[in-house]
Every structure is written in C-alpha cells, then in structure tokens.
Amino acid sequence: MSSRLVIIKFKDRSHRMTAESQLKPQSLPQHVAIIMDGNGRWAQRQGKPRVWGHKKGVEAVRRSVSFCRELGIKSLTLFAFSSENWRRPEDEVSTLMQLFLMVLQSEVKTLHKHNVRLKIVGDLSAFSDKLRANIDKAEQLTAANTALTLNIAANYGGRWDMVNAARALATQVQQGTLAVDQIDEQTFAQQVQMHEQPELDLLIRTGGDLRISNFLLWQAAYAEFWFTETLWPDFDQQVFSEAIAAFVNRERRFGCTGEQIRQLAMLGKG
C-alpha cells in the first residue's frame, strides 16, 4: 500500500453524480473508507520519482472529500500511512512526514471554512513533537464542524487498533471498573477507533490488489468491499460514482436471507 499526502480544496457542485437526485439519502453509505493505492506505480509509469505520485494523489483526495461532502456522506476515512510503511526507504518516509506537516499547517483553515471535522486516526507516538502539536491544533480547530468527518489513518494498523482496545478493557478490569463477564462486542466496539461515528458501510481499494492490508479489521466486519484497477491519482468522481452505485445496488443482508430483507423493505413502505 502506498503512503499518501493529503491536501483538501473544494470545488463547485457541478460534478454531482448524475442519478443523485433519484437516490434516497438512506440508500447511500454513511461511512466510506478508501485504501489509496497506486501512487508509486503511477509515478513510475510517468518516469517520475515515487514522491511525485504522492503529490499527484492529492488531487484525488480533494475530489473525494468534495464528492462525499456534496452527497451528504458523514464520514470518510483515508488510509494515509500504515504502521508497516515505516519499512519503506528512509528518505521516502522522511519526505512524507515533511509533507504531512506542511499539509496540516496550510490546509486546515480550508477544511474549517467548509465545515469539515478532521481526525487523525492511529498511533501518534511515533511522530515528532512538532507534528503531534500541529495535529492537535488542527483537530481542536475543526472539532465542532458537522458537514463531514475526515479521518486520516496515519501510523494505523487494524491489529494495533484491536490490541489497543483489548488493553483499554484490561485496564478497566484491573482497576475494578469493569467485570470480565461484562466484556462483549458492544463494550469492545466502544474502544476501537472512530467508535463514535457511523459504522463503516463501504471500503474501496484502488490499484488492483484484492486485500485490505490490515486496515479497519474490526470496523469492516459488515462493510461492502469494492476494488478497482484504477491507480489512486486517477481516482475521480466517475470512478467514485461507480463504487457508490455498486453499493446502492447490493443487497445487504446482515445474516438474514434475501427474502427477509425484501419483506422488511416492504414493511418500510407501508
């Protein structure tokens, strides 16, 4: 999975999905996550260094955030830097950290202006003091915004998330504030990242690989998956619309039969 830089700017509303007016808001996903893969390969195909691909991927981030905001999707989670990405060449990691800091310093006011809440999801302990301070400042500035929550998963891993949740519950048991037999799926879910947001509905991966690479392992339990060969810098509203259309046309059963779901749908119309 490629590491990514995130810069947000908003455009006008002229690129809405064609059938948007025909869709019911409740049929759209409320939380979309994207594994933004393919920046490095895109750059190599252009004869450019890998960092060029990360910079070009910024435009796809802008388009995706704007698109989600226009559709009324409540949460968008972007996999920006995994806990495994530290294994990449030192100069690439260093450049990405510098770009991440630059983004926080230069773009948070744009997010705030457009009523977008920013959250950085992951283990921040590995970042520099300066970067952590800028993360805290950006999150505080945008904390009350309501149009869209933009989660940037940085130094994040799904296994880390679950282990972190288990440790939190173990601490409560040790302190006597929680009994072992009180631990269930609901209490566990309250400890994982983004527990206060809508459950994950749709997980998209660009770049052609058919895996989720340790991303949102708990949150993706009932999410719909959608994979595309499109490399992240080429991910635009048209491709995003295809993913949304695929989601809307799928029958989400959550353990029920298709007939049960259809009966529930008919009851809802009554």
Side-chain angles (χ1 to χ4, degrees), residues 1-4 35-42 50 54 79-82 85 88 92 96 205 232:
M1 188 201 69
S2 298
S3 325
R4 298 117 196 129
I35 300 174
M36 305 177 291
D37 202 4
N39 288 337
R41 281 175 285 159
W42 187 93
R50 291 179 57 84
H54 301 317
F79 205 3
F81 191 87
S82 79
N85 284 152
R88 290 175 178 265
E92 181 177 351
L96 286 167
R205 181 170 186 147
W232 177 246

Short mmCIF file of all heavy atoms in Angstrom, two decimals, residues 1-4 35-42 50 54 79-82 85 88 92 96 205 232:
data_model
loop_
_atom_site.label_atom_id
_atom_site.label_comp_id
_atom_site.label_asym_id
_atom_site.label_seq_id
_atom_site.Cartn_x
_atom_site.Cartn_y
_atom_site.Cartn_z
N MET A 1 0.83 -1.19 0.00
CA MET A 1 0.00 0.00 0.00
C MET A 1 0.86 1.24 0.00
O MET A 1 1.83 1.31 0.72
CB MET A 1 -0.91 0.01 1.23
CG MET A 1 -1.94 1.12 1.20
SD MET A 1 -2.56 1.48 2.84
CE MET A 1 -1.09 2.19 3.57
N SER A 2 0.50 2.23 -0.79
CA SER A 2 1.29 3.43 -0.91
C SER A 2 1.00 4.37 0.25
O SER A 2 -0.11 4.45 0.75
CB SER A 2 0.97 4.14 -2.22
OG SER A 2 1.30 3.32 -3.31
N SER A 3 2.01 5.13 0.68
CA SER A 3 1.81 6.20 1.63
C SER A 3 1.24 7.39 0.88
O SER A 3 1.40 7.53 -0.31
CB SER A 3 3.15 6.58 2.27
OG SER A 3 3.95 5.46 2.43
N ARG A 4 0.56 8.30 1.58
CA ARG A 4 -0.06 9.41 0.89
C ARG A 4 0.02 10.73 1.61
O ARG A 4 0.11 10.79 2.81
CB ARG A 4 -1.55 9.15 0.66
CG ARG A 4 -1.74 7.96 -0.20
CD ARG A 4 -2.46 6.93 0.57
NE ARG A 4 -2.28 5.72 -0.15
CZ ARG A 4 -1.85 4.64 0.42
NH1 ARG A 4 -1.55 4.59 1.66
NH2 ARG A 4 -1.72 3.55 -0.27
N ILE A 35 -8.59 2.70 0.71
CA ILE A 35 -7.16 2.38 0.68
C ILE A 35 -6.62 2.97 -0.62
O ILE A 35 -6.91 2.47 -1.70
CB ILE A 35 -6.94 0.86 0.74
CG1 ILE A 35 -7.54 0.27 2.02
CG2 ILE A 35 -5.44 0.53 0.65
CD1 ILE A 35 -7.50 -1.24 2.09
N MET A 36 -5.87 4.03 -0.50
CA MET A 36 -5.45 4.82 -1.66
C MET A 36 -4.16 4.25 -2.23
O MET A 36 -3.07 4.77 -1.98
CB MET A 36 -5.27 6.28 -1.25
CG MET A 36 -6.50 6.88 -0.58
SD MET A 36 -6.24 8.59 -0.02
CE MET A 36 -5.07 8.33 1.31
N ASP A 37 -4.27 3.22 -3.03
CA ASP A 37 -3.09 2.51 -3.52
C ASP A 37 -2.76 2.90 -4.96
O ASP A 37 -3.66 3.16 -5.75
CB ASP A 37 -3.34 1.00 -3.44
CG ASP A 37 -2.06 0.20 -3.39
OD1 ASP A 37 -0.97 0.81 -3.34
OD2 ASP A 37 -2.14 -1.04 -3.41
N GLY A 38 -1.49 2.91 -5.26
CA GLY A 38 -1.05 3.09 -6.64
C GLY A 38 -0.29 4.36 -6.94
O GLY A 38 0.08 4.61 -8.10
N ASN A 39 0.00 5.17 -5.93
CA ASN A 39 0.73 6.42 -6.19
C ASN A 39 2.12 6.16 -6.77
O ASN A 39 2.53 6.82 -7.74
CB ASN A 39 0.88 7.21 -4.89
CG ASN A 39 -0.42 7.83 -4.43
OD1 ASN A 39 -1.32 8.04 -5.21
ND2 ASN A 39 -0.50 8.12 -3.15
N GLY A 40 2.85 5.22 -6.17
CA GLY A 40 4.20 4.92 -6.64
C GLY A 40 4.21 4.37 -8.05
O GLY A 40 5.03 4.78 -8.89
N ARG A 41 3.31 3.43 -8.34
CA ARG A 41 3.25 2.85 -9.69
C ARG A 41 2.84 3.89 -10.72
O ARG A 41 3.35 3.90 -11.84
CB ARG A 41 2.26 1.68 -9.69
CG ARG A 41 2.82 0.40 -9.10
CD ARG A 41 1.76 -0.68 -9.01
NE ARG A 41 0.84 -0.42 -7.92
CZ ARG A 41 -0.39 -0.93 -7.84
NH1 ARG A 41 -0.84 -1.69 -8.83
NH2 ARG A 41 -1.15 -0.67 -6.80
N TRP A 42 1.93 4.79 -10.34
CA TRP A 42 1.52 5.85 -11.25
C TRP A 42 2.72 6.72 -11.61
O TRP A 42 2.93 7.06 -12.79
CB TRP A 42 0.43 6.70 -10.58
CG TRP A 42 -0.18 7.72 -11.49
CD1 TRP A 42 -1.30 7.59 -12.27
CD2 TRP A 42 0.31 9.06 -11.72
NE1 TRP A 42 -1.54 8.76 -12.97
CE2 TRP A 42 -0.57 9.68 -12.64
CE3 TRP A 42 1.39 9.79 -11.23
CZ2 TRP A 42 -0.39 10.99 -13.08
CZ3 TRP A 42 1.58 11.09 -11.68
CH2 TRP A 42 0.69 11.68 -12.58
N ARG A 50 8.81 8.34 -6.88
CA ARG A 50 7.61 7.93 -6.18
C ARG A 50 6.91 9.10 -5.47
O ARG A 50 5.68 9.15 -5.42
CB ARG A 50 7.96 6.85 -5.14
CG ARG A 50 8.36 5.52 -5.76
CD ARG A 50 8.71 4.51 -4.67
NE ARG A 50 7.61 4.31 -3.74
CZ ARG A 50 6.59 3.47 -3.96
NH1 ARG A 50 6.55 2.77 -5.09
NH2 ARG A 50 5.64 3.34 -3.08
N HIS A 54 2.77 10.64 -4.89
CA HIS A 54 2.07 11.04 -3.67
C HIS A 54 1.49 12.45 -3.84
O HIS A 54 0.36 12.73 -3.43
CB HIS A 54 3.02 11.02 -2.47
CG HIS A 54 3.62 9.66 -2.23
ND1 HIS A 54 2.88 8.50 -2.28
CD2 HIS A 54 4.89 9.30 -1.91
CE1 HIS A 54 3.67 7.48 -2.02
NE2 HIS A 54 4.89 7.93 -1.80
N PHE A 79 -6.71 5.89 4.18
CA PHE A 79 -5.53 5.20 4.70
C PHE A 79 -4.30 5.92 4.15
O PHE A 79 -3.88 5.70 3.02
CB PHE A 79 -5.56 3.74 4.25
CG PHE A 79 -4.80 2.80 5.14
CD1 PHE A 79 -4.18 3.22 6.30
CD2 PHE A 79 -4.71 1.45 4.81
CE1 PHE A 79 -3.49 2.34 7.13
CE2 PHE A 79 -4.03 0.55 5.62
CZ PHE A 79 -3.42 1.00 6.78
N ALA A 80 -3.71 6.77 4.97
CA ALA A 80 -2.63 7.63 4.52
C ALA A 80 -1.25 7.05 4.77
O ALA A 80 -0.34 7.22 3.96
CB ALA A 80 -2.73 9.01 5.19
N PHE A 81 -1.08 6.37 5.91
CA PHE A 81 0.24 5.85 6.26
C PHE A 81 0.04 4.69 7.24
O PHE A 81 -0.44 4.90 8.36
CB PHE A 81 1.10 6.95 6.90
CG PHE A 81 2.56 6.59 7.06
CD1 PHE A 81 3.46 6.82 6.03
CD2 PHE A 81 3.02 6.01 8.23
CE1 PHE A 81 4.81 6.48 6.17
CE2 PHE A 81 4.35 5.67 8.38
CZ PHE A 81 5.25 5.91 7.35
N SER A 82 0.34 3.50 6.81
CA SER A 82 0.13 2.34 7.67
C SER A 82 1.31 2.14 8.61
O SER A 82 2.40 2.67 8.40
CB SER A 82 -0.08 1.07 6.82
OG SER A 82 1.17 0.59 6.36
N ASN A 85 4.34 1.01 6.85
CA ASN A 85 5.03 1.89 5.90
C ASN A 85 6.36 2.42 6.42
O ASN A 85 7.15 2.98 5.65
CB ASN A 85 4.14 3.06 5.50
CG ASN A 85 3.05 2.68 4.51
OD1 ASN A 85 2.00 3.29 4.48
ND2 ASN A 85 3.28 1.64 3.71
N ARG A 88 9.57 1.40 4.56
CA ARG A 88 9.94 1.98 3.26
C ARG A 88 11.28 2.70 3.38
O ARG A 88 11.74 2.99 4.49
CB ARG A 88 8.84 2.92 2.78
CG ARG A 88 7.58 2.18 2.37
CD ARG A 88 6.47 3.15 2.01
NE ARG A 88 5.29 2.40 1.57
CZ ARG A 88 4.99 2.14 0.32
NH1 ARG A 88 5.81 2.53 -0.65
NH2 ARG A 88 3.91 1.45 0.00
N GLU A 92 12.14 8.36 1.66
CA GLU A 92 10.72 8.47 1.28
C GLU A 92 9.86 8.75 2.51
O GLU A 92 8.98 9.62 2.48
CB GLU A 92 10.24 7.19 0.59
CG GLU A 92 8.79 7.28 0.15
CD GLU A 92 8.31 6.03 -0.61
OE1 GLU A 92 9.16 5.19 -0.94
OE2 GLU A 92 7.11 5.94 -0.86
N LEU A 96 7.63 12.14 3.28
CA LEU A 96 6.20 12.07 3.56
C LEU A 96 5.84 12.75 4.87
O LEU A 96 4.81 13.42 4.98
CB LEU A 96 5.75 10.61 3.58
CG LEU A 96 5.67 9.95 2.20
CD1 LEU A 96 5.53 8.45 2.34
CD2 LEU A 96 4.53 10.53 1.40
N ARG A 205 -10.76 -0.04 -2.44
CA ARG A 205 -9.31 -0.09 -2.63
C ARG A 205 -9.00 0.15 -4.10
O ARG A 205 -9.55 -0.53 -4.98
CB ARG A 205 -8.71 -1.43 -2.20
CG ARG A 205 -7.18 -1.43 -2.42
CD ARG A 205 -6.48 -2.60 -1.81
NE ARG A 205 -5.02 -2.42 -1.94
CZ ARG A 205 -4.12 -2.85 -1.08
NH1 ARG A 205 -4.51 -3.49 0.00
NH2 ARG A 205 -2.84 -2.63 -1.27
N TRP A 232 -4.59 5.36 -7.65
CA TRP A 232 -5.17 6.44 -6.85
C TRP A 232 -5.12 7.82 -7.53
O TRP A 232 -6.14 8.54 -7.50
CB TRP A 232 -4.54 6.49 -5.47
CG TRP A 232 -5.07 7.63 -4.65
CD1 TRP A 232 -4.40 8.72 -4.22
CD2 TRP A 232 -6.43 7.79 -4.21
NE1 TRP A 232 -5.25 9.57 -3.54
CE2 TRP A 232 -6.50 9.03 -3.52
CE3 TRP A 232 -7.60 7.03 -4.35
CZ2 TRP A 232 -7.67 9.51 -2.94
CZ3 TRP A 232 -8.77 7.52 -3.78
CH2 TRP A 232 -8.80 8.73 -3.09
#
